[in-house]
Amino acid sequence: MKMFKNSFWGILKKGDWNNENTDEVFEPIINFLVNHKDQYIFDFHDLMSEFLYELDRKEIYEHSINQEQFNEEDFLNQRAYVLTNGNKYYHDIISLIKPLDGELKCPQLLTLPAKAWSIKNNKSIEKYPHTPKYNIQTKSNTKYW
């Protein structure tokens, strides 16, 4: 069964977003994913990669605020932060209604699917067998760069 986009956003809402400890923020999401089949985790990862890929646009970077010198890894982590703020914020950023804030980053989201799989299967994170559907690296969405 393929995961729907709304399910992805619902899963992210499970995060403990008021917690100042970044590791604990994602615990409820990881615990949720651990209780599902591997394919569900992979579907979550595929959707996450799709949304990150869609945000990979020069115009979004140029419309952003608080950016220092361009850094591809920072821009990826900034795009991850967008996802943690939900569907509406994502659409506001992609539609250029709101600027991306270069100071806000969330690299922890990027390893979330592999962490959940690792815990579920009691294997090291390096053994994570899934390659997401979309390349999430900055400038991989060549249509928009």
Side-chain angles (χ1 to χ4, degrees):
M1 179 181 188
K2 207 73 169 140
M3 181 183 292
F4 294 104
K5 291 181 179 185
N6 284 343
S7 299
F8 172 85
W9 297 114
I11 292 167
L12 282 183
K13 281 183 182 176
K14 295 178 183 303
D16 183 6
W17 300 111
N18 294 322
N19 196 322
E20 291 183 18
N21 181 329
T22 353
D23 293 331
E24 292 176 13
V25 165
F26 293 102
E27 264 182 42
I29 300 171
I30 289 172
N31 291 337
F32 177 81
L33 290 172
V34 162
N35 289 309
H36 288 80
K37 293 182 180 185
D38 287 359
Q39 188 58 52
Y40 193 83
I41 296 170
F42 302 155
D43 289 348
F44 177 85
H45 198 180
D46 285 344
L47 281 173
M48 182 174 81
S49 75
E50 181 179 348
F51 292 129
L52 289 168
Y53 182 81
E54 288 174 357
L55 287 167
D56 183 25
R57 300 176 181 199
K58 186 177 184 180
E59 64 184 354
I60 290 175
Y61 177 78
E62 289 174 345
H63 186 67
S64 62
I65 58 172
N66 298 322
Q67 292 287 5
E68 294 178 14
Q69 186 175 344
F70 182 75
N71 178 298
E72 292 185 5
E73 186 175 344
D74 282 349
F75 188 53
L76 172 58
N77 293 330
Q78 292 159 14
R79 290 183 281 135
Y81 176 83
V82 170
L83 300 189
T84 64
N85 280 272
N87 191 14
K88 182 181 179 336
Y89 187 69
Y90 166 80
H91 284 288
D92 286 349
I93 296 294
I94 209 157
S95 304
L96 302 177
I97 292 169
K98 289 186 177 175
L100 181 76
D101 189 334
E103 293 181 347
L104 304 174
K105 302 170 185 137
C106 189
Q108 300 85 348
L109 179 67
L110 303 175
T111 57
L112 191 87
K115 276 186 185 171
W117 178 88
S118 166
I119 292 167
K120 178 185 186 305
N121 291 284
N122 199 25
K123 294 185 179 177
S124 81
I125 201 166
E126 289 79 22
K127 301 232 185 231
Y128 183 63
H130 184 68
T131 301
K133 189 174 177 180
Y134 292 87
N135 184 342
I136 64 169
Q137 296 308 310
T138 297
K139 296 187 176 179
S140 62
N141 189 352
T142 55
K143 179 179 176 182
Y144 291 99
W145 285 94

